[in-house]
mmCIF file of all heavy atoms in Angstrom:
data_model
loop_
_atom_site.group_PDB
_atom_site.id
_atom_site.type_symbol
_atom_site.label_atom_id
_atom_site.label_comp_id
_atom_site.label_asym_id
_atom_site.label_seq_id
_atom_site.Cartn_x
_atom_site.Cartn_y
_atom_site.Cartn_z
ATOM 1 N N GLN A 6 13.649 0.863 49.843
ATOM 2 C CA GLN A 6 13.404 -0.420 49.192
ATOM 3 C C GLN A 6 11.914 -0.694 49.052
ATOM 4 O O GLN A 6 11.450 -1.120 47.992
ATOM 5 C CB GLN A 6 14.060 -1.565 49.974
ATOM 6 C CG GLN A 6 13.937 -2.898 49.230
ATOM 7 C CD GLN A 6 14.093 -4.100 50.126
ATOM 8 O OE1 GLN A 6 13.678 -4.093 51.284
ATOM 9 N NE2 GLN A 6 14.705 -5.148 49.604
ATOM 10 N N ARG A 7 11.149 -0.439 50.103
ATOM 11 C CA ARG A 7 9.703 -0.663 50.039
ATOM 12 C C ARG A 7 9.068 0.201 48.946
ATOM 13 O O ARG A 7 8.147 -0.241 48.246
ATOM 14 C CB ARG A 7 9.061 -0.394 51.401
ATOM 15 C CG ARG A 7 9.413 -1.424 52.459
ATOM 16 C CD ARG A 7 8.509 -1.329 53.669
ATOM 17 N NE ARG A 7 8.773 -0.158 54.476
ATOM 18 C CZ ARG A 7 9.671 -0.109 55.459
ATOM 19 N NH1 ARG A 7 10.416 -1.175 55.746
ATOM 20 N NH2 ARG A 7 9.828 0.996 56.177
ATOM 21 N N GLU A 8 9.557 1.431 48.807
ATOM 22 C CA GLU A 8 9.042 2.306 47.756
ATOM 23 C C GLU A 8 9.313 1.728 46.371
ATOM 24 O O GLU A 8 8.433 1.758 45.492
ATOM 25 C CB GLU A 8 9.695 3.692 47.870
ATOM 26 C CG GLU A 8 9.250 4.475 49.091
ATOM 27 C CD GLU A 8 10.050 5.750 49.281
ATOM 28 O OE1 GLU A 8 11.089 5.909 48.572
ATOM 29 O OE2 GLU A 8 9.668 6.583 50.115
ATOM 30 N N GLN A 9 10.510 1.179 46.167
ATOM 31 C CA GLN A 9 10.860 0.639 44.860
ATOM 32 C C GLN A 9 10.125 -0.665 44.573
ATOM 33 O O GLN A 9 9.782 -0.945 43.420
ATOM 34 C CB GLN A 9 12.375 0.464 44.738
ATOM 35 C CG GLN A 9 13.153 1.797 44.761
ATOM 36 C CD GLN A 9 12.626 2.792 43.738
ATOM 37 O OE1 GLN A 9 11.646 3.494 43.957
ATOM 38 N NE2 GLN A 9 13.285 2.831 42.582
ATOM 39 N N VAL A 10 9.889 -1.470 45.602
ATOM 40 C CA VAL A 10 9.084 -2.679 45.424
ATOM 41 C C VAL A 10 7.673 -2.297 44.984
ATOM 42 O O VAL A 10 7.115 -2.871 44.038
ATOM 43 C CB VAL A 10 9.045 -3.506 46.724
ATOM 44 C CG1 VAL A 10 8.003 -4.627 46.620
ATOM 45 C CG2 VAL A 10 10.419 -4.095 47.028
ATOM 46 N N ALA A 11 7.084 -1.316 45.660
ATOM 47 C CA ALA A 11 5.731 -0.874 45.307
ATOM 48 C C ALA A 11 5.697 -0.292 43.896
ATOM 49 O O ALA A 11 4.741 -0.533 43.136
ATOM 50 C CB ALA A 11 5.240 0.159 46.324
ATOM 51 N N ARG A 12 6.725 0.464 43.531
ATOM 52 C CA ARG A 12 6.765 1.040 42.188
ATOM 53 C C ARG A 12 6.839 -0.065 41.133
ATOM 54 O O ARG A 12 6.128 -0.015 40.118
ATOM 55 C CB ARG A 12 7.954 1.983 42.045
ATOM 56 C CG ARG A 12 8.093 2.552 40.632
ATOM 57 C CD ARG A 12 9.249 3.537 40.491
ATOM 58 N NE ARG A 12 9.394 3.957 39.103
ATOM 59 C CZ ARG A 12 8.702 4.930 38.532
ATOM 60 N NH1 ARG A 12 7.802 5.594 39.241
ATOM 61 N NH2 ARG A 12 8.890 5.245 37.261
ATOM 62 N N LEU A 13 7.685 -1.062 41.362
ATOM 63 C CA LEU A 13 7.793 -2.146 40.390
ATOM 64 C C LEU A 13 6.465 -2.881 40.246
ATOM 65 O O LEU A 13 6.019 -3.162 39.120
ATOM 66 C CB LEU A 13 8.894 -3.123 40.804
ATOM 67 C CG LEU A 13 8.998 -4.382 39.929
ATOM 68 C CD1 LEU A 13 9.303 -4.023 38.479
ATOM 69 C CD2 LEU A 13 10.046 -5.341 40.482
ATOM 70 N N ARG A 14 5.825 -3.195 41.353
ATOM 71 C CA ARG A 14 4.548 -3.913 41.281
ATOM 72 C C ARG A 14 3.506 -3.090 40.520
ATOM 73 O O ARG A 14 2.753 -3.634 39.703
ATOM 74 C CB ARG A 14 4.056 -4.244 42.688
ATOM 75 C CG ARG A 14 4.841 -5.372 43.368
ATOM 76 C CD ARG A 14 4.169 -5.804 44.663
ATOM 77 N NE ARG A 14 4.865 -6.899 45.309
ATOM 78 C CZ ARG A 14 4.704 -8.184 44.992
ATOM 79 N NH1 ARG A 14 3.886 -8.525 44.010
ATOM 80 N NH2 ARG A 14 5.371 -9.126 45.644
ATOM 81 N N ALA A 15 3.458 -1.791 40.764
ATOM 82 C CA ALA A 15 2.493 -0.941 40.062
ATOM 83 C C ALA A 15 2.779 -0.899 38.565
ATOM 84 O O ALA A 15 1.849 -0.942 37.742
ATOM 85 C CB ALA A 15 2.533 0.468 40.654
ATOM 86 N N ARG A 16 4.046 -0.833 38.193
ATOM 87 C CA ARG A 16 4.408 -0.806 36.779
ATOM 88 C C ARG A 16 4.092 -2.147 36.104
ATOM 89 O O ARG A 16 3.653 -2.191 34.953
ATOM 90 C CB ARG A 16 5.884 -0.450 36.620
ATOM 91 C CG ARG A 16 6.242 0.961 37.056
ATOM 92 C CD ARG A 16 5.777 2.006 36.032
ATOM 93 N NE ARG A 16 6.626 1.961 34.837
ATOM 94 C CZ ARG A 16 6.248 1.530 33.646
ATOM 95 N NH1 ARG A 16 5.018 1.085 33.468
ATOM 96 N NH2 ARG A 16 7.081 1.544 32.622
ATOM 97 N N LEU A 17 4.324 -3.253 36.815
ATOM 98 C CA LEU A 17 3.973 -4.571 36.267
ATOM 99 C C LEU A 17 2.465 -4.675 36.058
ATOM 100 O O LEU A 17 2.004 -5.198 35.035
ATOM 101 C CB LEU A 17 4.466 -5.681 37.196
ATOM 102 C CG LEU A 17 5.978 -5.894 37.283
ATOM 103 C CD1 LEU A 17 6.305 -6.885 38.390
ATOM 104 C CD2 LEU A 17 6.553 -6.382 35.958
ATOM 105 N N ASP A 18 1.703 -4.196 37.024
ATOM 106 C CA ASP A 18 0.241 -4.212 36.887
ATOM 107 C C ASP A 18 -0.189 -3.395 35.668
ATOM 108 O O ASP A 18 -1.051 -3.828 34.883
ATOM 109 C CB ASP A 18 -0.415 -3.640 38.142
ATOM 110 C CG ASP A 18 -0.315 -4.580 39.332
ATOM 111 O OD1 ASP A 18 -0.092 -5.784 39.124
ATOM 112 O OD2 ASP A 18 -0.447 -4.089 40.482
ATOM 113 N N HIS A 19 0.387 -2.229 35.511
ATOM 114 C CA HIS A 19 0.023 -1.354 34.394
ATOM 115 C C HIS A 19 0.334 -2.018 33.051
ATOM 116 O O HIS A 19 -0.411 -1.848 32.073
ATOM 117 C CB HIS A 19 0.773 -0.023 34.512
ATOM 118 C CG HIS A 19 0.438 0.957 33.421
ATOM 119 N ND1 HIS A 19 -0.761 1.650 33.383
ATOM 120 C CD2 HIS A 19 1.136 1.351 32.314
ATOM 121 C CE1 HIS A 19 -0.780 2.419 32.320
ATOM 122 N NE2 HIS A 19 0.353 2.263 31.652
ATOM 123 N N ALA A 20 1.428 -2.798 33.024
ATOM 124 C CA ALA A 20 1.832 -3.472 31.784
ATOM 125 C C ALA A 20 1.105 -4.799 31.584
ATOM 126 O O ALA A 20 1.288 -5.459 30.554
ATOM 127 C CB ALA A 20 3.336 -3.705 31.790
ATOM 128 N N GLY A 21 0.291 -5.211 32.564
ATOM 129 C CA GLY A 21 -0.444 -6.469 32.439
ATOM 130 C C GLY A 21 0.418 -7.696 32.643
ATOM 131 O O GLY A 21 0.082 -8.781 32.158
ATOM 132 N N ILE A 22 1.514 -7.549 33.370
ATOM 133 C CA ILE A 22 2.408 -8.686 33.629
ATOM 134 C C ILE A 22 2.071 -9.248 35.000
ATOM 135 O O ILE A 22 2.207 -8.551 36.013
ATOM 136 C CB ILE A 22 3.879 -8.256 33.562
ATOM 137 C CG1 ILE A 22 4.206 -7.760 32.152
ATOM 138 C CG2 ILE A 22 4.801 -9.411 33.949
ATOM 139 C CD1 ILE A 22 5.544 -7.098 32.034
ATOM 140 N N PRO A 23 1.616 -10.491 35.085
ATOM 141 C CA PRO A 23 1.182 -11.044 36.372
ATOM 142 C C PRO A 23 2.359 -11.337 37.291
ATOM 143 O O PRO A 23 3.433 -11.733 36.855
ATOM 144 C CB PRO A 23 0.474 -12.343 35.971
ATOM 145 C CG PRO A 23 1.099 -12.723 34.674
ATOM 146 C CD PRO A 23 1.460 -11.445 33.974
ATOM 147 N N HIS A 24 2.143 -11.120 38.553
ATOM 148 C CA HIS A 24 3.148 -11.422 39.573
ATOM 149 C C HIS A 24 2.422 -11.860 40.838
ATOM 150 O O HIS A 24 1.263 -11.484 41.062
ATOM 151 C CB HIS A 24 4.044 -10.213 39.838
ATOM 152 C CG HIS A 24 3.281 -8.952 40.145
ATOM 153 N ND1 HIS A 24 3.026 -8.525 41.429
ATOM 154 C CD2 HIS A 24 2.702 -8.033 39.324
ATOM 155 C CE1 HIS A 24 2.329 -7.405 41.389
ATOM 156 N NE2 HIS A 24 2.113 -7.084 40.124
ATOM 157 N N MET A 25 3.089 -12.647 41.637
ATOM 158 C CA MET A 25 2.461 -13.193 42.836
ATOM 159 C C MET A 25 2.339 -12.106 43.900
ATOM 160 O O MET A 25 3.308 -11.420 44.219
ATOM 161 C CB MET A 25 3.273 -14.363 43.383
ATOM 162 C CG MET A 25 3.287 -15.580 42.478
ATOM 163 S SD MET A 25 4.260 -16.945 43.157
ATOM 164 C CE MET A 25 3.220 -17.404 44.553
ATOM 165 N N ALA A 26 1.155 -11.965 44.454
ATOM 166 C CA ALA A 26 0.935 -10.989 45.523
ATOM 167 C C ALA A 26 1.517 -11.509 46.826
ATOM 168 O O ALA A 26 1.385 -12.693 47.161
ATOM 169 C CB ALA A 26 -0.561 -10.723 45.685
ATOM 170 N N ASN A 27 2.193 -10.659 47.557
ATOM 171 C CA ASN A 27 2.683 -10.982 48.891
ATOM 172 C C ASN A 27 2.984 -9.676 49.614
ATOM 173 O O ASN A 27 2.882 -8.597 49.038
ATOM 174 C CB ASN A 27 3.909 -11.911 48.837
ATOM 175 C CG ASN A 27 5.086 -11.287 48.103
ATOM 176 O OD1 ASN A 27 5.480 -10.151 48.369
ATOM 177 N ND2 ASN A 27 5.663 -12.037 47.160
ATOM 178 N N ASP A 28 3.362 -9.787 50.867
ATOM 179 C CA ASP A 28 3.639 -8.599 51.684
ATOM 180 C C ASP A 28 5.124 -8.385 51.908
ATOM 181 O O ASP A 28 5.522 -7.692 52.851
ATOM 182 C CB ASP A 28 2.926 -8.722 53.045
ATOM 183 C CG ASP A 28 1.414 -8.718 52.908
ATOM 184 O OD1 ASP A 28 0.908 -7.958 52.062
ATOM 185 O OD2 ASP A 28 0.749 -9.478 53.638
ATOM 186 N N SER A 29 5.962 -8.962 51.055
ATOM 187 C CA SER A 29 7.405 -8.859 51.251
ATOM 188 C C SER A 29 8.059 -8.117 50.094
ATOM 189 O O SER A 29 7.398 -7.554 49.221
ATOM 190 C CB SER A 29 8.018 -10.253 51.398
ATOM 191 O OG SER A 29 8.117 -10.902 50.140
ATOM 192 N N HIS A 30 9.364 -8.155 50.086
ATOM 193 C CA HIS A 30 10.184 -7.479 49.078
ATOM 194 C C HIS A 30 10.462 -8.348 47.857
ATOM 195 O O HIS A 30 11.161 -7.908 46.945
ATOM 196 C CB HIS A 30 11.526 -7.100 49.717
ATOM 197 C CG HIS A 30 12.247 -8.288 50.278
ATOM 198 N ND1 HIS A 30 11.858 -8.907 51.453
ATOM 199 C CD2 HIS A 30 13.297 -9.004 49.819
ATOM 200 C CE1 HIS A 30 12.652 -9.929 51.691
ATOM 201 N NE2 HIS A 30 13.531 -10.015 50.722
ATOM 202 N N ILE A 31 9.956 -9.566 47.838
ATOM 203 C CA ILE A 31 10.230 -10.527 46.772
ATOM 204 C C ILE A 31 9.086 -10.493 45.758
ATOM 205 O O ILE A 31 7.913 -10.615 46.136
ATOM 206 C CB ILE A 31 10.403 -11.941 47.363
ATOM 207 C CG1 ILE A 31 11.629 -11.974 48.287
ATOM 208 C CG2 ILE A 31 10.541 -12.987 46.253
ATOM 209 C CD1 ILE A 31 11.692 -13.192 49.186
ATOM 210 N N VAL A 32 9.433 -10.324 44.482
ATOM 211 C CA VAL A 32 8.418 -10.200 43.427
ATOM 212 C C VAL A 32 8.567 -11.377 42.459
ATOM 213 O O VAL A 32 9.388 -11.341 41.539
ATOM 214 C CB VAL A 32 8.559 -8.865 42.671
ATOM 215 C CG1 VAL A 32 7.448 -8.723 41.628
ATOM 216 C CG2 VAL A 32 8.546 -7.690 43.639
ATOM 217 N N PRO A 33 7.800 -12.453 42.656
ATOM 218 C CA PRO A 33 7.893 -13.601 41.751
ATOM 219 C C PRO A 33 7.000 -13.413 40.519
ATOM 220 O O PRO A 33 5.823 -13.077 40.644
ATOM 221 C CB PRO A 33 7.387 -14.781 42.606
ATOM 222 C CG PRO A 33 7.165 -14.225 43.986
ATOM 223 C CD PRO A 33 6.950 -12.752 43.807
#
């Protein structure tokens, strides 16, 4: 799960889609 959370955040960053930074599994 942690791997997939990190992958999603990296892909969102690459696409320029903002998301709230945090240290959990929740991606707002």
Side-chain angles (χ1 to χ4, degrees):
Q6 186 201 35
R7 290 194 288 272
E8 290 172 349
Q9 294 307 82
V10 170
R12 177 178 175 84
L13 174 61
R14 287 189 178 277
R16 294 285 287 110
L17 290 172
D18 288 340
H19 181 74
I22 297 170
H24 52 96
M25 293 180 69
N27 61 49
D28 295 321
S29 76
H30 57 285
I31 296 165
V32 183

